[in-house]
Amino acid sequence: MPGVIGPDRVRAVVQPALTVPGVDGVEVLFIHEWTGLTRFASSAIHQSTWQEDTGIRVRVVKGGRIGVAASNDFSEEGARRAAESAREMAEVVAPDPLFPGLAPPQPVPESDHFDEATASTTPDRRAEGVATLIAQCGRGLMASGAFETAASEVGLLNTEGQFCWAPSTQASVTTVVTADEGGSGFAETFASTLAEVDPEAVGRRAATKAAASRRPIDLDPGRYPVVLEPAAVSTLVGFLAWIGFGGRLLAEGRSCFSGKQGQQVAQPAITIYDDATSPDTIGLPFDFEGTPRRRVDLIRNGVFLDAVYDRRTAKQAGSETTGHALPPPNPEGPFPLNLFMEPGVASVEDMIASTDRGLLVTRFHYSNVVHPLESTITGMTRDGTFLIESGEVTRPVKNFRFTQSILEALRTASMVGRDTELASEFFFSASRVPALKVDSFNFTGRSDH
Amino acid sequence: MALDVAKEAVEAARAAGAHYADARFVREESESITVRNQEMEGIDRATSEGVGVRVLVDGYWGFAATARPEGAEIARTAGLAVEIARAAARLPREPVTLTGVEPASGTWASPFQDDPFNVSLEEKVALLMEATRRMQEVDGLAFAEAGIDLFRVRTSFASSEGSEIEQTVLHSGAGLDATAVAEGELQRRSYPNSFRGHIAAAGWEHIAKLGLLEEAERTATEAVELLSATDCPSEVTTLVLDSGQMELQVHESIGHAVELDRVLGMEESYAGSSFVSPGDRGTLRYASDLVSITADATIPGGLGSFGWDDEGVPAQRVPIIVDGTFQDFISSRETAGAIGGTSTGAMRADGWQNLPLIRMTNINIEPGEGSLADIIGDTKDGIFMATNQSWSIDDKRVNFQFGCEIAWRIKGGKLTQMYRNPNYTGITAEFWRSCDAVGGREDWTLWGTPNCGKGQPAQTARVGHGTAPARFRNVQVGVR
């Protein structure tokens, strides 16, 4: 297994890029990642992979003009060539009037999201975990999923003198257990270390749900009260990141929060913030242009406060960077990678008990934006959707399509869960959210399973 | 030589204990330029190279990849692939067997006239600047965006069965994106299609012929007009789709549904499976008899065209649906064998670092008769929708809901009122069985889908769809 390259060697290798002549400034983003993933289907391992890559992304500034070149040739020559290529581009393009300059030198908090045992996990260890998970599936149940362990180190250097570097790891187990007669159950766990991942518990939870969802009934679409488990809430919060929380979207009137700063957009029980510095998430202590990350309160007690910013968008909006830049050139602008919804006091059982007739949703599938300014998305339920009657889960139901405004859902959220779960869609990104009870959720169609 | 690296990796895997091995040395280069409101939004180039080694040990797969394809690192990576395969044997399963394929030796390159990487940056930027300038001349437009995307992928493939293949694909594309914003409303129009325009297996000649400058004003005008248009009504009606939206319709509700790995449950936990089963071949009434679908990796210009797939299987033209009846899947050597067939040659990997998966090649609807104008002219009452904006479909590819950028009411064979925020929903086979018109060759376009996601770790593929406009009856539109 590879090891961490380390800040000293990174600095030495990329030095030729930082000293390329004829430019006003250079920034080098270095990312080294290695990932092992053991994938299983029909209760057997069918795809197992390991990959390692080391990339540099060089941003060159010349007369306010910007060029970016990336390469996975991690060598002094590779760094120099990338910088020259970026310079060539910078020489032919128009100046960027909003370019704010490269990040100044500033201290970055230490990161403790790296675990050596996770970084060096063997294929055999992952296979053992998969076997443990599958062992939770009784007769008539089949498991599919993935056990992933990944590590990275990210460095950022620029000619202003900023230098930051941080390693991190993550581990996850995800499974869908299918049962005869149409049963299906989902569970996952996601953490920064292998030790926090419990394949047995994940397998048991998904198997229980799959067995309980056999023989789902047809139910008419319509508006129902819903109890959304954390995986489903994660989808709603994740879409707010895409269509609402970016400072560029907000400044340009393209955010579902545009014109709503200081306004009540959700129930007072709803608080959403981004905080890469929290020990309860994964993440880097700095963004991809070298600014230290800090907590940003986005919705506090139901009131929308502000978005996240990078240096360019902060200049555009007359604000300050919050440390949320993505890798350049990044036309989409800043993005919150470490979202949290503050927990409440209710258990999922409390939410179910308070529901006369409604639905319990495990998770959503293949959701997409219908109307960004109205925060309306559509998607399907999947892997465990149940009818609640008189305060009890009574029957599994076939999957529904929803077409729903996220902010409307947050305005009708009547209970917030006390326990949170961490979910992730891609590297360096995770959201930690609780379950929610929403009093009116718009289901507009249904499927046959 | 790149092919020597691949051969060395195969030999190392065999020495480490692999019973079968293949390796791909891949070098990718890309260039992306985006201009917005006559200012540079982003310009970047990227290169990436490495080698991926895939092995079978006692019928279990292993795969490992490295960005440092040299000497000891190649051997270490090959050995790791074998170690991964042996770890997989912890859970007994029916050993993988591969359907036979003749070892291939040869080279292939996608055809082009003008290498876009040799076109000056000044010329590219000037084209995009002028396109956005023309869009900005339309009053009320907030954002005028234009972009160019170029990709070149060189792959050297070797297998322990004796295949030695070198291929180069060149993909080029460009497009416009106009955005208008008003109080509580945001409308977009794209040209020639959404998601970065129209990307094809071609060179600069493709971009030069797209007519970006000529279409800039119309694209921007429609975006602004949409702001004051009426919302698409909610009703069950006749729906006509342009060929751009048909690209998405074919991709989501046919292309993914006929991937044999999905059908066999290999993607169950992530993207999902399929409502189609192996027993449906030759019997499932998937669509009306006007609909025939072909997976064609041999067609020039398609993003899913190649000489051989990433298992060394030759490119093929495969009937998927013939006159409405489902015939065959897109498959691999492993999955085809599992249902008693032969590979249809659809295995492709995203870069050197990922293992090949079944990916769409060019999933095309065979042309019918008449133009889009003919179909609209033949429609008494209905709605015409154009250009995809949003897509969602369930895990078995049954219930879908797709949104378009723009729509018009059809009355008496003519387009009348414009509608904004149009969408429609349906059940896949019911929808396709309701198709009663497919346009002819004159409005048939070979589109490129540059962002098809699948697999874990996540992979992105560029795939093709040749589609014509079509008409569907009794469709629910205007879902809210």
Side-chain angles (χ1 to χ4, degrees):
Chain A
M1 293 294 165
V4 168
I5 291 172
D8 294 341
R9 179 158 162 70
V10 170
R11 191 195 293 265
V13 170
V14 307
Q15 194 60 32
L18 292 171
T19 55
V20 66
V23 301
D24 301 329
V26 180
E27 171 193 273
V28 181
L29 173 63
F30 159 85
I31 301 179
H32 176 207
E33 296 176 271
W34 58 104
T35 302
L37 189 143
T38 300
R39 205 173 184 210
F40 51 102
S42 303
S43 292
I45 294 171
H46 72 307
Q47 290 171 1
S48 293
T49 63
W50 190 88
Q51 57 183 233
E52 182 194 5
D53 199 6
T54 308
I56 53 172
R57 181 165 284 268
V58 182
R59 179 161 62 150
V60 162
V61 186
K62 183 170 183 175
R65 303 157 191 260
I66 313 296
V68 178
S71 168
N72 76 336
D73 180 359
F74 181 61
S75 66
E76 293 180 11
E77 177 61 15
R80 184 186 59 75
R81 277 204 304 263
E84 288 174 350
S85 180
R87 182 184 60 192
E88 182 191 348
M89 285 180 275
E91 285 170 346
V92 300
V93 302
D96 178 0
L98 290 175
F99 179 65
L102 300 173
Q106 53 201 312
V108 169
E110 287 284 316
S111 169
D112 59 355
H113 290 310
F114 184 83
D115 173 59
E116 183 57 42
T118 306
S120 59
T121 305
T122 64
D124 209 47
R125 173 69 185 81
R126 285 190 298 274
E128 179 188 346
V130 171
T132 301
L133 185 154
I134 290 172
Q136 309 311 307
C137 299
R139 185 182 296 273
L141 304 181
M142 300 285 263
S144 302
F147 189 162
E148 181 178 37
T149 53
S152 77
E153 55 183 316
V154 177
L156 191 293
L157 307 83
N158 68 30
T159 47
E160 296 296 308
Q162 175 65 336
F163 176 69
C164 32
W165 175 88
S168 65
T169 52
Q170 67 183 50
S172 65
V173 174
T174 302
T175 191
V176 168
V177 174
T178 53
D180 47 9
E181 301 184 274
S184 183
F186 164 82
E188 73 173 345
T189 183
F190 178 82
S192 58
T193 68
L194 181 66
E196 298 169 82
V197 166
D198 183 352
E200 181 177 338
V202 171
R204 193 165 51 240
R205 184 174 167 188
T208 301
K209 191 159 272 191
S213 62
R214 286 182 168 115
R215 298 182 294 282
I217 61 169
D218 275 315
L219 202 63
D220 287 336
R223 283 195 169 269
Y224 289 86
V226 288
V227 176
L228 304 176
E229 293 193 0
V233 176
S234 174
T235 296
L236 303 186
V237 174
F239 268 93
L240 284 184
W242 286 108
I243 62 177
F245 290 142
R248 186 170 193 188
L249 294 176
L250 190 71
E252 294 179 347
R254 296 186 291 131
S255 163
C256 60
F257 297 109
S258 290
K260 294 177 180 164
Q261 274 176 287
Q263 294 182 17
Q264 194 83 32
V265 296
Q267 282 289 314
I270 301 295
T271 290
I272 299 174
Y273 60 96
D274 185 85
D275 188 7
T277 66
S278 167
D280 294 326
T281 188
I282 61 164
L284 295 169
F286 52 89
D287 72 2
F288 293 99
E289 57 185 6
T291 302
R293 293 189 187 280
R294 60 178 170 85
R295 172 173 166 151
V296 177
D297 285 4
L298 301 158
I299 295 175
R300 166 64 57 192
N301 299 331
V303 176
F304 174 66
L305 300 179
D306 204 351
V308 297
Y309 295 93
D310 57 16
R311 292 176 57 77
R312 186 179 190 274
T313 306
K315 183 176 179 180
Q316 179 184 18
S319 184
E320 288 184 5
T321 176
T322 55
H324 288 85
L326 294 180
N330 182 31
E332 297 305 317
F335 192 87
L337 293 171
N338 301 96
L339 287 170
F340 288 78
M341 180 182 282
E342 246 175 33
V345 296
S347 66
V348 170
E349 291 72 24
D350 294 337
M351 296 179 190
I352 293 168
S354 72
T355 304
D356 183 47
R357 180 176 167 83
L359 295 165
L360 171 64
V361 175
T362 298
R363 69 158 167 162
F364 295 129
H365 172 79
Y366 214 151
S367 304
N368 211 328
V369 177
V370 172
H371 195 299
L373 297 193
E374 294 174 358
S375 71
T376 302
I377 64 172
T378 186
M380 297 296 301
T381 67
R382 188 181 167 186
D383 302 322
T385 306
F386 300 92
L387 179 63
I388 303 169
E389 295 174 295
S390 302
E392 291 184 356
V393 173
T394 54
R395 299 287 298 275
V397 298
K398 292 179 181 175
N399 288 306
F400 276 121
R401 168 167 298 286
F402 68 93
T403 305
Q404 172 68 48
S405 160
I406 300 169
L407 291 180
E408 184 202 75
L410 296 183
R411 284 194 294 272
T412 62
S414 56
M415 299 174 85
V416 181
R418 67 187 181 204
D419 303 314
T420 60
E421 293 181 14
L422 193 63
S424 176
E425 292 289 331
F426 49 89
F427 212 96
F428 305 119
S429 165
S431 59
R432 180 173 284 283
V433 298
L436 273 185
K437 182 180 175 187
V438 176
D439 286 344
S440 178
F441 206 82
N442 187 31
F443 293 101
T444 53
R446 65 182 168 197
S447 193
D448 65 353
H449 61 283
Chain B
M1 265 179 63
L3 187 58
D4 290 336
V5 172
K7 289 161 67 176
E8 183 180 344
V10 168
E11 289 166 12
R14 292 279 284 164
H19 300 118
Y20 167 85
D22 59 36
R24 290 172 302 108
F25 177 86
V26 180
R27 177 174 171 78
E28 297 178 281
E29 55 186 315
S30 63
E31 185 176 292
S32 178
I33 307 172
T34 303
V35 168
R36 192 192 203 210
N37 291 355
Q38 300 179 71
E39 291 174 359
M40 288 307 302
E41 188 73 1
I43 178 167
D44 71 301
R45 291 172 174 159
T47 61
S48 177
E49 69 177 41
V51 65
V53 188
R54 189 178 71 145
V55 303
L56 269 177
V57 181
D58 296 325
Y60 293 87
W61 284 119
F63 176 87
T66 178
R68 300 189 302 278
E70 58 215 8
E73 178 65 9
I74 292 175
R76 189 190 70 81
T77 302
L80 183 55
V82 170
E83 181 187 344
I84 288 170
R86 289 190 170 129
R90 177 184 281 271
L91 282 159
R93 57 170 287 186
E94 190 69 28
V96 171
T97 57
L98 302 178
T99 56
V101 61
E102 281 294 313
S105 292
T107 61
W108 186 89
S110 59
F112 65 90
Q113 293 170 21
D114 303 318
D115 188 340
F117 287 94
N118 290 340
V119 175
S120 72
L121 285 171
E122 288 90 338
E123 182 176 346
K124 295 169 187 166
V125 171
L127 171 65
L128 302 182
M129 286 286 186
E130 176 60 13
T132 63
R133 187 192 68 76
R134 293 190 185 194
M135 285 194 279
Q136 282 188 285
E137 286 189 340
V138 175
D139 284 343
L141 191 75
F143 306 108
E145 197 167 292
I148 290 173
D149 296 287
L150 311 173
F151 308 89
R152 178 158 28 223
V153 182
R154 296 182 171 92
T155 305
S156 300
F157 173 89
S159 79
S160 57
E161 296 172 340
S163 286
E164 296 182 7
I165 298 167
E166 293 193 285
Q167 302 191 83
T168 303
V169 297
L170 175 66
H171 294 166
S172 308
L176 309 177
D177 191 346
T179 303
V181 183
E183 188 64 31
E185 197 57 60
L186 183 151
Q187 294 295 328
R188 296 174 67 173
R189 280 298 278 143
S190 307
Y191 176 82
N193 210 343
S194 43
F195 313 113
R196 303 293 288 180
H198 185 181
I199 303 177
W204 184 254
E205 72 281 358
H206 167 68
I207 294 173
K209 282 192 282 193
L210 287 177
L212 298 184
L213 301 183
E214 293 78 3
E215 295 291 336
E217 181 184 352
R218 180 193 61 80
T219 305
T221 299
E222 288 184 352
V224 173
E225 288 175 351
L226 279 166
L227 283 179
S228 53
T230 304
D231 278 325
C232 179
S234 180
E235 63 185 67
V236 175
T237 189
T238 294
L239 176 66
V240 177
L241 300 177
D242 78 332
S243 77
Q245 174 58 20
M246 282 292 287
E247 173 198 15
L248 186 281
Q249 184 71 50
V250 168
H251 180 91
E252 298 288 1
S253 67
I254 295 179
H256 277 306
V258 301
E259 294 166 343
L260 189 50
D261 52 354
R262 289 183 70 116
V263 171
L264 297 177
M266 297 163 74
E267 296 287 329
E268 177 77 55
S269 72
Y270 188 62
S273 56
S274 175
F275 73 95
V276 187
S277 67
D280 289 333
R281 284 175 292 174
T283 61
L284 173 65
R285 206 55 197 156
Y286 204 117
S288 73
D289 55 11
L290 294 179
V291 177
S292 290
I293 301 286
T294 305
D296 189 353
T298 70
I299 188 170
L303 296 188
S305 296
F306 44 76
W308 296 266
D309 76 355
D310 284 339
E311 291 190 307
V313 177
Q316 297 167 48
R317 189 175 192 280
V318 182
I320 301 297
I321 294 171
V322 176
D323 300 333
T325 301
F326 173 67
Q327 300 294 331
D328 206 352
F329 299 100
I330 52 174
S331 63
S332 63
R333 297 179 66 187
E334 175 188 359
T335 56
I339 63 166
T342 57
S343 171
T344 57
M347 287 287 270
R348 286 194 290 160
D350 178 5
W352 51 269
Q353 61 273 60
N354 289 297
L355 84 170
L357 299 173
I358 294 173
R359 304 311 303 254
M360 292 175 224
T361 53
N362 304 295
I363 309 296
N364 307 329
I365 189 165
E366 295 301 308
E369 291 181 0
S371 64
L372 171 62
D374 293 335
I375 295 174
I376 291 171
D378 181 51
T379 304
K380 286 181 183 170
D381 183 68
I383 290 180
F384 169 58
M385 295 189 191
T387 316
N388 180 254
Q389 181 154 264
S390 174
W391 64 102
S392 173
I393 190 166
D394 76 34
D395 58 309
K396 292 186 186 295
R397 302 276 147 179
V398 174
N399 177 303
F400 64 81
Q401 182 169 313
F402 301 140
C404 292
E405 290 183 351
I406 194 167
W408 288 267
R409 166 70 64 183
I410 305 171
K411 276 284 186 193
K414 290 187 167 46
L415 296 183
T416 58
Q417 184 178 10
M418 178 188 287
Y419 294 133
R420 70 184 185 189
N421 303 321
N423 65 15
Y424 62 100
T425 188
I427 300 296
T428 291
E430 290 175 11
F431 180 82
W432 280 104
R433 288 175 199 146
S434 79
C435 179
D436 73 345
V438 176
R441 181 67 66 179
E442 57 265 53
D443 281 328
W444 189 94
T445 302
L446 182 52
W447 297 105
T449 299
N451 57 346
C452 178
K454 187 176 180 181
Q456 293 173 289
Q459 298 190 37
T460 300
R462 292 187 291 276
V463 307
H465 296 290
T467 50
R471 183 174 62 197
F472 302 85
R473 300 291 190 182
N474 302 313
V475 180
Q476 175 68 57
V477 304
V479 182
R480 281 192 285 276

